[in-house]
Amino acid sequence: MITRAKVKAAQARAARMLDHVHIILTPQEKVNLEVADFGLDELEHTGLELVVYINSERYCAKELVLFPRQTCPEHRHPPVAGGDGKSETFRCRWGRVWLYLPGEATPRPHGKPPSGSETYYTVFHEVALLPGEQFTIPPDTLHWFQAGEEGAIVSEFSSPSRDESDVFTDPRIRRIPEVVEK
Amino acid sequence: MITRAKVKAAQARAARMLDHVHIILTPQEKVNLEVADFGLDELEHTGLELVVYINSERYCAKELVLFPRQTCPEHRHPPVAGGDGKSETFRCRWGRVWLYLPGEATPRPHGKPPSGSETYYTVFHEVALLPGEQFTIPPDTLHWFQAGEEGAIVSEFSSPSRDESDVFTDPRIRRIPEVVEK
């Protein structure tokens, strides 16, 4: 659970970061900017801020904002309703982001799992993305990612998003935010 | 047909416009930047510059660059191989763009068809897009668009692109570029 006040502060911070890199949002998009704390209430370490531009039955596009060293926790997008799981292309726009995937563990990785959650991180093949670089994650493939010291802005192009179907390695995680008013 | 020299000049100009709005390309993307003159050899009036980030079997994302007053000519994306035609979401990032669709003709439209090609423009319902604004075009729907006085940069999110299937109103148009070396 996350408080309304924390959500509003994170929305404003993410909107400032987007503004800084000249990505323009409508007033409504700023109000609707999604703050995902994944139910862990440690947003600075584990979390993600999102602007969903379009999520139709055919395709999806979002802007992802990561605060400095913020981590989107390990998960995969399984097949849904007989179709393939979500495939997504991450394109780094600003800052830097380290993406972790199955495969040979990278020696001396740049990122590390948030303290206290190490058990729930199991893939350690690192792909570094600098501005202008991109990587496509196949369906149903475990992945997690972490921003560098300045944070990161990443465009995501994908097949349709069905967040409620995502499978997280950490059983404590709730993908759909639970916001308390206090 | 368009000469190699004109293609190179247009690539450099489009890359400068993207750079100006802080959209970062890899060196390879700059080299591959697509210049579509639609076979009319009047690129300043009728043309489009594109960076294709991803065009998979499931989704597509591009950056579109329009020079000042440049027009992407009227076309539609018909059903292909039993599937629906391409649906696309245009999000204006910089400048302004006027999109024309079927429906009631807008009185005093901002854009106008390129001189000499008026016959091949048949839809005149105007949708104006300023930075941060977007519009989704349904499959198989005639549309054309024109940039304002400064040009425009537009992100396109869509179902897969199959440019060779596009149907243009103007029978002179060749979507796939024919470049001559001289």
Side-chain angles (χ1 to χ4, degrees):
Chain A
M1 283 196 290
I2 186 169
T3 63
R4 179 70 58 193
K6 281 186 189 174
V7 168
K8 287 201 174 248
Q11 284 177 324
R13 186 178 178 188
R16 281 195 305 274
M17 286 173 68
L18 289 165
D19 190 59
H20 175 67
V21 299
H22 307 272
I23 292 177
I24 295 174
L25 304 182
T26 62
Q28 194 60 43
E29 285 171 334
K30 289 183 188 181
V31 169
N32 291 339
L33 199 149
E34 184 183 349
V35 176
D37 84 326
F38 300 100
L40 299 185
D41 196 20
E42 52 166 41
L43 187 67
E44 290 293 314
H45 305 293
T46 305
L48 186 64
E49 293 69 43
L50 307 94
V51 179
V52 181
Y53 292 141
I54 177 83
N55 185 22
S56 74
E57 290 181 10
R58 302 178 72 187
Y59 55 90
C60 179
K62 303 177 181 178
E63 222 71 71
L64 311 180
V65 181
L66 291 151
F67 299 145
R69 285 285 172 189
Q70 199 180 33
T71 301
C72 178
E74 185 177 293
H75 65 286
R76 60 187 170 86
H77 306 289
V80 175
D84 283 340
K86 182 189 179 202
S87 175
E88 53 196 18
T89 300
F90 285 174
R91 184 176 178 90
C92 182
R93 299 293 196 166
W94 180 84
R96 59 184 68 202
V97 66
W98 295 294
L99 174 61
Y100 295 92
L101 298 155
E104 193 174 352
T106 300
R108 294 178 295 284
H110 290 87
K112 67 174 188 183
S115 179
S117 296
E118 293 84 351
T119 314
Y120 308 118
Y121 289 76
T122 68
V123 297
F124 297 100
H125 182 75
E126 181 177 284
V127 174
L129 296 179
L130 294 174
E133 296 178 340
Q134 65 181 49
F135 188 86
T136 296
I137 304 166
D140 208 12
T141 301
L142 281 172
H143 59 285
W144 60 282
F145 49 100
Q146 186 171 82
E149 299 297 342
E150 292 188 297
I153 294 175
V154 176
S155 295
E156 181 190 296
F157 315 122
S158 73
S159 57
S161 279
R162 299 181 185 91
D163 296 336
E164 67 285 0
S165 304
D166 293 350
V167 177
F168 285 84
T169 306
D170 184 343
R172 301 169 302 170
I173 283 178
R174 301 286 170 268
R175 174 62 184 88
I176 307 303
E178 297 171 13
V179 179
V180 291
E181 286 306 324
K182 180 168 157 292
Chain B
M1 284 198 288
I2 185 169
T3 63
R4 179 69 60 193
K6 281 187 188 175
V7 168
K8 288 201 172 245
Q11 285 178 323
R13 185 177 179 189
R16 281 196 304 274
M17 287 175 67
L18 290 165
D19 191 59
H20 174 67
V21 299
H22 307 270
I23 292 176
I24 296 173
L25 303 182
T26 61
Q28 195 58 45
E29 286 171 334
K30 289 183 188 180
V31 169
N32 291 340
L33 200 149
E34 183 183 348
V35 175
D37 84 325
F38 300 99
L40 299 185
D41 195 20
E42 52 166 39
L43 187 67
E44 289 292 313
H45 304 293
T46 305
L48 185 64
E49 294 68 43
L50 309 93
V51 180
V52 181
Y53 292 141
I54 177 83
N55 185 22
S56 74
E57 290 181 10
R58 301 178 73 186
Y59 55 89
C60 179
K62 302 177 181 178
E63 223 71 71
L64 311 181
V65 180
L66 291 152
F67 299 146
R69 287 284 171 188
Q70 200 180 31
T71 301
C72 177
E74 186 176 292
H75 65 287
R76 61 186 170 85
H77 307 289
V80 176
D84 284 341
K86 182 187 180 205
S87 175
E88 55 197 16
T89 300
F90 285 174
R91 183 176 179 91
C92 181
R93 299 293 195 166
W94 180 83
R96 59 186 65 204
V97 66
W98 295 293
L99 175 62
Y100 295 92
L101 298 156
E104 193 175 349
T106 299
R108 292 177 300 282
H110 290 88
K112 67 176 188 181
S115 180
S117 297
E118 292 85 351
T119 314
Y120 307 117
Y121 289 77
T122 68
V123 298
F124 296 101
H125 181 73
E126 179 177 284
V127 174
L129 296 178
L130 294 173
E133 297 178 338
Q134 66 181 46
F135 188 86
T136 296
I137 303 165
D140 208 13
T141 301
L142 282 172
H143 59 285
W144 60 281
F145 49 99
Q146 186 172 81
E149 299 297 342
E150 292 188 297
I153 293 174
V154 175
S155 294
E156 181 188 294
F157 316 122
S158 74
S159 56
S161 279
R162 299 182 185 90
D163 296 337
E164 66 286 0
S165 304
D166 293 350
V167 177
F168 286 84
T169 305
D170 183 343
R172 301 169 302 169
I173 283 179
R174 300 287 170 266
R175 173 62 185 90
I176 307 303
E178 296 170 16
V179 179
V180 291
E181 286 306 321
K182 180 168 155 294

PDB file of all heavy atoms in Angstrom, chain A residues 31 45-46 52 65 86-87 95 108 115 119 129 135 139 179:
ATOM      1  N   VAL A  31      -2.005  14.026 -14.473  1.00  0.00           N
ATOM      2  CA  VAL A  31      -2.884  13.616 -13.365  1.00  0.00           C
ATOM      3  C   VAL A  31      -2.965  12.080 -13.296  1.00  0.00           C
ATOM      4  O   VAL A  31      -3.012  11.496 -12.216  1.00  0.00           O
ATOM      5  CB  VAL A  31      -4.300  14.212 -13.562  1.00  0.00           C
ATOM      6  CG1 VAL A  31      -5.303  13.590 -12.598  1.00  0.00           C
ATOM      7  CG2 VAL A  31      -4.260  15.724 -13.395  1.00  0.00           C
ATOM      8  N   HIS A  45      13.220   2.471  -3.812  1.00  0.00           N
ATOM      9  CA  HIS A  45      14.052   1.318  -4.194  1.00  0.00           C
ATOM     10  C   HIS A  45      13.343   0.420  -5.211  1.00  0.00           C
ATOM     11  O   HIS A  45      13.949  -0.026  -6.178  1.00  0.00           O
ATOM     12  CB  HIS A  45      14.413   0.507  -2.949  1.00  0.00           C
ATOM     13  CG  HIS A  45      15.073   1.327  -1.900  1.00  0.00           C
ATOM     14  ND1 HIS A  45      16.329   1.872  -2.075  1.00  0.00           N
ATOM     15  CD2 HIS A  45      14.647   1.744  -0.684  1.00  0.00           C
ATOM     16  CE1 HIS A  45      16.662   2.577  -0.996  1.00  0.00           C
ATOM     17  NE2 HIS A  45      15.658   2.516  -0.143  1.00  0.00           N
ATOM     18  N   THR A  46      12.075   0.127  -4.954  1.00  0.00           N
ATOM     19  CA  THR A  46      11.333  -0.772  -5.825  1.00  0.00           C
ATOM     20  C   THR A  46      10.095  -0.042  -6.328  1.00  0.00           C
ATOM     21  O   THR A  46       9.160   0.217  -5.553  1.00  0.00           O
ATOM     22  CB  THR A  46      10.901  -2.047  -5.064  1.00  0.00           C
ATOM     23  OG1 THR A  46      12.064  -2.650  -4.482  1.00  0.00           O
ATOM     24  CG2 THR A  46      10.222  -3.039  -5.986  1.00  0.00           C
ATOM     25  N   VAL A  52       0.910   5.779 -19.854  1.00  0.00           N
ATOM     26  CA  VAL A  52       0.416   4.877 -20.899  1.00  0.00           C
ATOM     27  C   VAL A  52      -0.191   5.735 -22.004  1.00  0.00           C
ATOM     28  O   VAL A  52      -1.206   6.389 -21.811  1.00  0.00           O
ATOM     29  CB  VAL A  52      -0.634   3.897 -20.338  1.00  0.00           C
ATOM     30  CG1 VAL A  52      -1.114   2.960 -21.444  1.00  0.00           C
ATOM     31  CG2 VAL A  52      -0.048   3.107 -19.174  1.00  0.00           C
ATOM     32  N   VAL A  65       9.392   5.892 -16.301  1.00  0.00           N
ATOM     33  CA  VAL A  65      10.316   6.765 -15.569  1.00  0.00           C
ATOM     34  C   VAL A  65      10.834   6.002 -14.366  1.00  0.00           C
ATOM     35  O   VAL A  65      10.050   5.416 -13.602  1.00  0.00           O
ATOM     36  CB  VAL A  65       9.612   8.054 -15.101  1.00  0.00           C
ATOM     37  CG1 VAL A  65      10.593   8.959 -14.356  1.00  0.00           C
ATOM     38  CG2 VAL A  65       8.990   8.792 -16.273  1.00  0.00           C
ATOM     39  N   LYS A  86       3.188 -11.064 -23.489  1.00  0.00           N
ATOM     40  CA  LYS A  86       3.606  -9.749 -23.994  1.00  0.00           C
ATOM     41  C   LYS A  86       5.084  -9.748 -24.386  1.00  0.00           C
ATOM     42  O   LYS A  86       5.933 -10.229 -23.644  1.00  0.00           O
ATOM     43  CB  LYS A  86       3.367  -8.736 -22.882  1.00  0.00           C
ATOM     44  CG  LYS A  86       3.696  -7.292 -23.217  1.00  0.00           C
ATOM     45  CD  LYS A  86       3.599  -6.461 -21.921  1.00  0.00           C
ATOM     46  CE  LYS A  86       3.927  -5.000 -22.140  1.00  0.00           C
ATOM     47  NZ  LYS A  86       4.343  -4.356 -20.866  1.00  0.00           N
ATOM     48  N   SER A  87       5.361  -9.205 -25.555  1.00  0.00           N
ATOM     49  CA  SER A  87       6.741  -8.926 -25.960  1.00  0.00           C
ATOM     50  C   SER A  87       6.922  -7.417 -25.880  1.00  0.00           C
ATOM     51  O   SER A  87       6.008  -6.660 -26.217  1.00  0.00           O
ATOM     52  CB  SER A  87       6.966  -9.415 -27.383  1.00  0.00           C
ATOM     53  OG  SER A  87       8.260  -9.050 -27.827  1.00  0.00           O
ATOM     54  N   GLY A  95      19.327   9.068 -19.357  1.00  0.00           N
ATOM     55  CA  GLY A  95      19.900   8.349 -18.216  1.00  0.00           C
ATOM     56  C   GLY A  95      20.481   7.023 -18.679  1.00  0.00           C
ATOM     57  O   GLY A  95      20.920   6.880 -19.820  1.00  0.00           O
ATOM     58  N   ARG A 108      30.523  -8.756 -12.146  1.00  0.00           N
ATOM     59  CA  ARG A 108      30.481  -7.350 -11.695  1.00  0.00           C
ATOM     60  C   ARG A 108      29.349  -6.544 -12.353  1.00  0.00           C
ATOM     61  O   ARG A 108      29.602  -5.549 -13.051  1.00  0.00           O
ATOM     62  CB  ARG A 108      31.827  -6.673 -11.961  1.00  0.00           C
ATOM     63  CG  ARG A 108      32.973  -7.248 -11.120  1.00  0.00           C
ATOM     64  CD  ARG A 108      34.294  -6.591 -11.444  1.00  0.00           C
ATOM     65  NE  ARG A 108      34.727  -6.855 -12.814  1.00  0.00           N
ATOM     66  CZ  ARG A 108      35.241  -8.008 -13.223  1.00  0.00           C
ATOM     67  NH1 ARG A 108      35.407  -9.014 -12.388  1.00  0.00           N
ATOM     68  NH2 ARG A 108      35.591  -8.156 -14.478  1.00  0.00           N
ATOM     69  N   SER A 115      17.939  -4.153  -1.358  1.00  0.00           N
ATOM     70  CA  SER A 115      18.313  -4.792  -0.094  1.00  0.00           C
ATOM     71  C   SER A 115      17.100  -5.447   0.574  1.00  0.00           C
ATOM     72  O   SER A 115      16.043  -4.831   0.687  1.00  0.00           O
ATOM     73  CB  SER A 115      18.918  -3.713   0.817  1.00  0.00           C
ATOM     74  OG  SER A 115      19.273  -4.257   2.044  1.00  0.00           O
ATOM     75  N   THR A 119      16.445 -12.574  -2.522  1.00  0.00           N
ATOM     76  CA  THR A 119      15.915 -13.913  -2.801  1.00  0.00           C
ATOM     77  C   THR A 119      15.064 -13.960  -4.058  1.00  0.00           C
ATOM     78  O   THR A 119      14.949 -15.009  -4.701  1.00  0.00           O
ATOM     79  CB  THR A 119      15.010 -14.361  -1.625  1.00  0.00           C
ATOM     80  OG1 THR A 119      15.697 -14.080  -0.412  1.00  0.00           O
ATOM     81  CG2 THR A 119      14.666 -15.822  -1.716  1.00  0.00           C
ATOM     82  N   LEU A 129      21.648  -0.236 -21.325  1.00  0.00           N
ATOM     83  CA  LEU A 129      21.020   0.620 -22.337  1.00  0.00           C
ATOM     84  C   LEU A 129      21.306   2.088 -22.033  1.00  0.00           C
ATOM     85  O   LEU A 129      20.912   2.616 -20.999  1.00  0.00           O
ATOM     86  CB  LEU A 129      19.501   0.399 -22.366  1.00  0.00           C
ATOM     87  CG  LEU A 129      19.010  -0.987 -22.787  1.00  0.00           C
ATOM     88  CD1 LEU A 129      17.489  -1.049 -22.729  1.00  0.00           C
ATOM     89  CD2 LEU A 129      19.487  -1.340 -24.194  1.00  0.00           C
ATOM     90  N   PHE A 135      16.321  -2.715 -26.666  1.00  0.00           N
ATOM     91  CA  PHE A 135      16.380  -4.174 -26.567  1.00  0.00           C
ATOM     92  C   PHE A 135      14.953  -4.707 -26.523  1.00  0.00           C
ATOM     93  O   PHE A 135      14.088  -4.130 -25.865  1.00  0.00           O
ATOM     94  CB  PHE A 135      17.133  -4.591 -25.303  1.00  0.00           C
ATOM     95  CG  PHE A 135      17.408  -6.069 -25.223  1.00  0.00           C
ATOM     96  CD1 PHE A 135      18.539  -6.608 -25.816  1.00  0.00           C
ATOM     97  CD2 PHE A 135      16.521  -6.930 -24.581  1.00  0.00           C
ATOM     98  CE1 PHE A 135      18.793  -7.978 -25.769  1.00  0.00           C
ATOM     99  CE2 PHE A 135      16.764  -8.307 -24.529  1.00  0.00           C
ATOM    100  CZ  PHE A 135      17.906  -8.823 -25.120  1.00  0.00           C
ATOM    101  N   PRO A 139       8.454 -12.891 -25.209  1.00  0.00           N
ATOM    102  CA  PRO A 139       7.375 -13.229 -24.269  1.00  0.00           C
ATOM    103  C   PRO A 139       7.852 -14.204 -23.194  1.00  0.00           C
ATOM    104  O   PRO A 139       8.777 -14.992 -23.432  1.00  0.00           O
ATOM    105  CB  PRO A 139       6.332 -13.930 -25.161  1.00  0.00           C
ATOM    106  CG  PRO A 139       6.670 -13.547 -26.551  1.00  0.00           C
ATOM    107  CD  PRO A 139       8.131 -13.255 -26.592  1.00  0.00           C
ATOM    108  N   VAL A 179      -3.912   2.096  -2.978  1.00  0.00           N
ATOM    109  CA  VAL A 179      -3.591   3.419  -2.431  1.00  0.00           C
ATOM    110  C   VAL A 179      -4.475   3.670  -1.221  1.00  0.00           C
ATOM    111  O   VAL A 179      -5.683   3.430  -1.263  1.00  0.00           O
ATOM    112  CB  VAL A 179      -3.831   4.515  -3.488  1.00  0.00           C
ATOM    113  CG1 VAL A 179      -3.525   5.896  -2.913  1.00  0.00           C
ATOM    114  CG2 VAL A 179      -2.980   4.257  -4.716  1.00  0.00           C
TER     115      VAL A 179
END
